[in-house]
Amino acid sequence: MSRAVGIVDVGSNTVRLAVYVANASGSYRLAAERRAVLRLGAYGPELGAKAYRRTAAVLTRFRNVARSLGAAEMVAAATAAVRAAVDGEAFARRLREETGVPLRIIDGREEAQLGLLGVVSTLSVADGVLADVGGASTEVTLFRDRRLVASSTLPAGAVNLTTGWLPSDPPTAEHLARLREHVASLLAGVDWLGEPAQPVLVGVGGTFRALARLARRRLGARPRSPLHGSEVPPGLPAVLLGELAAVSSAKRAAKPGIAKHRADVIVAGLAVIGELVARSRAPRVVVSGHGLRDGLFLRWLHGDDHVVDDIAAESLDGFLDRFGIPRQRAERVSGLACELFDALRDVHHLDPEDRGPLRVGAMLREAGAFLDAYKRAKHTFYLVRWAPLFGLGPRERLMAAAAASYDGLEGHRERWIAAQGNPEELTSSARLGFMVALADALADICPEGDVELRASASSGRIAVQVGGCAGSLPDMADMPELDALIKDFRRIFGGTLTLRFRG
Amino acid sequence: MSPGEAWTEWEGALLRLGRKYGFDEAHGRQVARLADHLAEQLSPLHRLDEEFRGALCGAALVHDLGQAVASRGHHRHTAYLVQCDDALDGVPEDARLLVALLARSHRKKLPDLPDGWDRQRCQRFLQAAALLRLADGLDGSHDGRACLQACRIDPGSVELVVAGLDPAGQDRVLKRKAGLFARVFERDISFASAPSAASAAGGARGAGA
């Protein structure tokens, strides 16, 4: 039986709702999201009646949305703006009493812990610095082996820095320089940040997401791909800061990738990010679309803050459940695909890390059949690209989608080009897809039992021996899909392929 | 002009589609009721024929379907599912496309419209999209209480009198959702609260019970 919960995050810029549905198997999905830009961080030291009225209306609406989606429970946390307000405790108490939403003010440490939990449960990062640039504060967290080591909360958020340090629109060069000095001095006070250089800076929060969108447009990446896991060139925040600070907020709001409600505060937010990049000296900047709300949910789901060992596997489980993919068959195809990858490594010459997307793609090959079995390949490609799948970066996800959906070279090429896949990886992705498709065909012939795969290559001829198949062995004439694959082999790998089966 | 036979023909298939993905049926039905009622009350302003009235109700019913794929970008996923899922096999392609495009239009940037559509068809589409957004905004809390009581149309403005709604509580949501209406119909739009009705949308037709 599934359970739903409404998670609310009362932040300094935005109040957000996320409704999650957890299945009995342990998999879960995000069922709905809402947000309201209340700018609580701009109300000053006392929130007051107007802030209360607006927040109460939003929480009531969010409570109703969550209930309509079956959520019997809610979990709600308030962060810096409410935490710092002189009337914060009374504000939260009254909201609890009058809206029924169990709002709790969390301190900076807990906020960092939950944010980190959300990140490491959805991204493959083990060591680095996590930064959450919010409206009224920035949390920086040092993590090692996916565990919190140290955290600091700095009174430097996009909204309060704009209000306090950038009085003109656009800001003058002098104001911007003073803002940057101020942020740099705050970060200099974080003694664990700076030495040694961090392997990665992970960013959460609206400013980081805006940065990721701007980066995709600047780099020519297809705009529509999940933001989560996007990498941003470390030098880009400073470049964008210079460009956006030179124009008014009205002009910024007109630029693609900048939401209207963020246009006036993005300069301050980018200034913080630029100083974070400089101080952390991280060669990689990765944006996470998951953070505090996911941490709150996972704590509710598991009862504690433990981090799942294999986030990709857990995410795959959810995918299989959601689209009715038979697990046993999926695991069979995935196992065979991995054996093919290993057996053919001197033929495909792919990066060993591509075994990951191959494995995922093989598991999800049947996803598209949930929509329409006759056009399974096309729909599988779509679902693997867009449905939530953690533990894969954007490139890996596209490779997994290509691997999962391979049904011939023409279809593969069309989908790869339409998705603006890297043209230099067309052949690599086709090789992954070929191996998954071959594994799928082999799973028909050898649905169970141990299979031995051996490959040998000589003078452009590759022979793959498939041993250990019980039962009747195929007549190749009766398997047009195998015949088509063998024809594709020459175009994808060069050389000819011979398959030999033995019992 | 009512949604009529077009809607009746599609409703069953769309419900099957929605239930396959576990959609929020109550919210879908409520938005469909509201959309249909808005179309009826605002008929002096638009030129929606039976085809568009039916597609409006259909799109309203399944507009949030894409949440089953992913919450982020769900409007695009809704359009994909409407166009591709075999639960709608048998519904004519042009009808599926119209419902898909309308559903996709319930939030964010409007989609590009097909090259072959003439100006009148594009205008009808925008009118229907505007009504759908408004209907979705009226049920922004998903509580099913909003009921359109009356509609006052003036040369430069429209006022909707709505029961079961606290405009102050939802003013920013409604304002955002009403933005397209204001642009398409070139009229300011405002909302006034009426006392709650005993039942919701008693005048709506063709949107299911």
Side-chain angles (χ1 to χ4, degrees):
Chain A
M1 177 118 170
S2 62
R3 300 183 292 154
V5 64
I7 304 289
V8 175
D9 160 19
V10 178
S12 304
N13 194 36
T14 313
V15 180
R16 292 182 185 267
L17 166 73
V19 180
Y20 289 89
V21 177
N23 299 319
S25 64
S27 67
Y28 61 88
R29 65 181 180 91
L30 178 62
E33 288 183 290
R34 297 287 188 276
R35 68 174 166 87
V37 180
L38 296 189
R39 292 271 170 103
L40 293 180
Y43 280 88
E46 186 173 350
L47 291 165
K50 184 178 175 187
Y52 177 80
R53 211 168 41 247
R54 293 179 70 200
T55 309
V58 167
L59 291 190
T60 301
R61 177 161 59 92
F62 285 1
R63 182 201 66 206
N64 291 341
V65 171
R67 278 186 189 161
S68 78
L69 292 166
E73 292 179 63
M74 295 200 67
V75 176
T79 55
V82 180
R83 189 163 66 220
V86 296
D87 58 343
E89 287 288 351
F91 185 88
R93 184 175 56 248
R94 197 177 158 202
L95 283 169
R96 283 195 295 273
E97 288 165 4
E98 296 187 9
T99 69
V101 174
L103 183 64
R104 189 169 63 87
I105 300 174
I106 60 174
D107 64 22
R109 177 86 178 181
E110 187 176 1
E111 185 179 351
Q113 168 62 22
L114 289 166
L116 180 63
L117 180 61
V119 167
V120 298
S121 299
T122 57
L123 268 185
S124 290
V125 287
D127 308 306
V129 166
L130 168 64
D132 181 352
V133 179
S137 67
T138 291
E139 269 73 46
V140 283
T141 304
L142 176 68
F143 61 98
R144 289 285 178 267
D145 196 25
R146 305 163 82 200
R147 300 280 190 273
L148 189 152
V149 173
S151 70
S152 290
T153 301
L154 308 173
V159 174
N160 63 357
L161 287 176
T162 300
T163 308
W165 293 82
L166 302 178
S168 64
D169 179 22
T172 64
E174 189 184 347
H175 286 140
L176 188 59
R178 283 196 199 149
L179 168 64
R180 294 180 69 181
E181 278 167 21
H182 170 65
V183 174
S185 73
L186 288 175
L187 290 173
V190 181
D191 54 14
W192 50 260
L193 186 63
E195 279 299 332
Q198 299 300 327
V200 64
L201 170 65
V202 179
V204 297
T207 305
F208 269 106
R209 288 196 297 275
L211 172 63
R213 283 188 202 99
L214 291 167
R216 287 195 306 198
R217 289 180 185 275
R218 179 67 61 107
L219 299 173
R222 185 176 175 83
R224 292 195 200 111
S225 60
L227 275 182
H228 182 62
S230 304
E231 290 216 25
V232 174
L236 189 60
V239 169
L240 288 171
L241 175 63
E243 291 175 6
L244 294 177
V247 299
S248 67
S249 54
K251 287 201 170 145
R252 286 177 226 140
K255 288 182 184 290
I258 300 182
K260 286 188 176 52
H261 69 269
R262 196 161 296 283
D264 55 340
V265 298
I266 194 168
V267 168
L270 283 173
V272 174
I273 294 177
E275 295 305 318
L276 278 165
V277 171
R279 180 91 177 134
S280 68
R281 297 191 290 135
R284 294 176 62 211
V285 178
V286 176
V287 176
S288 174
H290 297 271
L292 175 65
R293 284 181 300 289
D294 302 83
L296 285 165
F297 166 68
L298 290 166
R299 180 186 277 179
W300 172 86
L301 180 68
H302 297 303
D304 59 25
D305 290 355
H306 85 265
V307 181
V308 168
D309 287 334
D310 189 339
I311 59 175
E314 187 177 73
S315 182
L316 270 178
D317 282 348
F319 211 109
L320 295 176
D321 282 344
R322 191 185 301 191
F323 299 110
I325 302 171
R327 179 176 299 272
Q328 193 172 352
R329 169 78 185 197
E331 287 174 352
R332 181 62 169 176
V333 174
S334 181
L336 287 169
C338 289
E339 289 200 44
L340 279 168
F341 187 93
D342 297 339
L344 289 170
R345 63 181 168 277
D346 294 334
V347 177
H348 61 62
H349 305 297
L350 292 171
D351 194 308
E353 289 193 0
D354 283 336
R355 201 173 186 275
L358 172 105
R359 184 179 67 84
V360 170
M363 286 288 287
L364 303 181
R365 186 164 170 82
E366 290 303 313
F370 190 76
L371 276 70
D372 183 344
Y374 290 105
K375 294 179 185 166
R376 179 201 54 79
K378 174 187 168 191
H379 303 326
T380 291
F381 187 77
Y382 185 91
L383 292 175
V384 176
R385 280 194 72 206
W386 294 112
L389 203 54
F390 300 135
L392 296 179
R395 174 199 168 268
E396 291 166 308
R397 184 194 275 257
L398 188 57
M399 293 291 261
S405 60
Y406 186 92
D407 65 343
L409 200 47
E410 278 67 38
H412 169 81
R413 182 183 288 122
E414 274 176 27
R415 285 187 290 272
W416 188 259
I417 291 170
Q420 296 187 353
N422 184 346
E424 292 177 13
E425 292 193 301
L426 177 61
T427 300
S428 313
S429 56
R431 289 181 179 181
L432 287 185
F434 176 92
M435 285 185 278
V436 171
L438 181 55
D440 193 31
L442 292 179
D444 279 353
I445 301 164
C446 315
E448 55 195 11
D450 290 331
V451 165
E452 267 178 57
L453 285 170
R454 282 194 202 152
S456 56
S458 170
S459 305
R461 292 194 178 117
I462 292 92
V464 173
Q465 286 199 62
V466 184
C469 287
S472 306
L473 295 176
D475 183 334
M476 298 292 285
D478 294 335
M479 289 197 71
E481 62 273 27
L482 259 187
D483 193 48
L485 279 173
I486 289 169
K487 288 185 174 121
D488 271 357
F489 185 90
R490 176 179 283 283
R491 296 161 73 192
I492 298 171
F493 293 88
T496 57
L497 174 68
T498 306
L499 289 172
R500 293 193 191 106
F501 293 87
R502 59 184 174 79
Chain B
M1 181 73 66
S2 75
E5 285 185 22
W7 168 236
T8 307
E9 190 185 325
W10 304 336
E11 184 186 8
L14 287 168
L15 277 173
R16 276 195 299 281
L17 175 68
R19 288 169 184 166
K20 177 178 173 180
Y21 289 93
F23 80 142
D24 185 348
E25 186 166 340
H27 174 60
R29 285 185 181 276
Q30 171 66 348
V31 176
R33 272 193 288 271
L34 287 165
D36 185 54
H37 205 185
L38 282 166
E40 192 179 311
Q41 294 277 317
L42 295 170
S43 57
L45 297 185
H46 64 72
R47 299 192 184 289
L48 299 183
D49 57 13
E50 185 180 299
E51 180 200 11
F52 273 87
R53 288 286 297 270
L56 172 60
C57 289
L61 180 65
V62 297
H63 69 282
D64 277 343
L65 184 69
Q67 296 272 7
V69 175
S71 181
R72 289 165 195 173
H74 68 270
H75 57 301
R76 287 184 276 107
H77 305 319
T78 294
Y80 188 88
L81 294 177
V82 168
Q83 289 197 267
C84 297
D85 196 284
D86 60 8
L88 292 187
D89 284 354
V91 176
E93 283 303 316
D94 53 353
R96 285 177 86 155
L97 176 64
L98 182 55
V99 172
L101 288 173
L102 273 175
R104 192 196 179 293
S105 302
H106 83 272
R107 65 191 292 263
K108 300 280 188 177
K109 189 170 166 257
L110 292 173
D112 293 329
L113 298 183
D115 286 337
W117 284 17
D118 62 25
R119 190 187 160 109
Q120 188 178 68
R121 192 168 179 80
C122 290
Q123 187 59 18
R124 283 180 180 161
F125 178 87
L126 291 175
Q127 290 172 346
L131 295 181
L132 173 56
R133 282 198 186 188
L134 199 50
D136 190 29
L138 288 170
D139 195 42
S141 291
H142 288 225
D143 58 14
R145 294 188 307 158
C147 174
L148 185 61
Q149 297 284 300
C151 181
R152 296 180 191 121
I153 302 173
D154 289 322
S157 64
V158 167
E159 185 187 52
L160 299 183
V161 181
V162 184
L165 175 72
D166 174 12
Q170 289 202 86
D171 61 351
R172 285 166 201 266
V173 174
L174 273 177
K175 199 173 164 183
R176 195 174 70 239
K177 287 288 201 179
L180 182 61
F181 182 98
R183 287 200 302 279
V184 170
F185 292 100
E186 295 178 334
R187 279 174 169 81
D188 293 332
I189 181 165
S190 61
F191 304 90
S193 287
S196 292
S199 60
R205 291 200 306 265

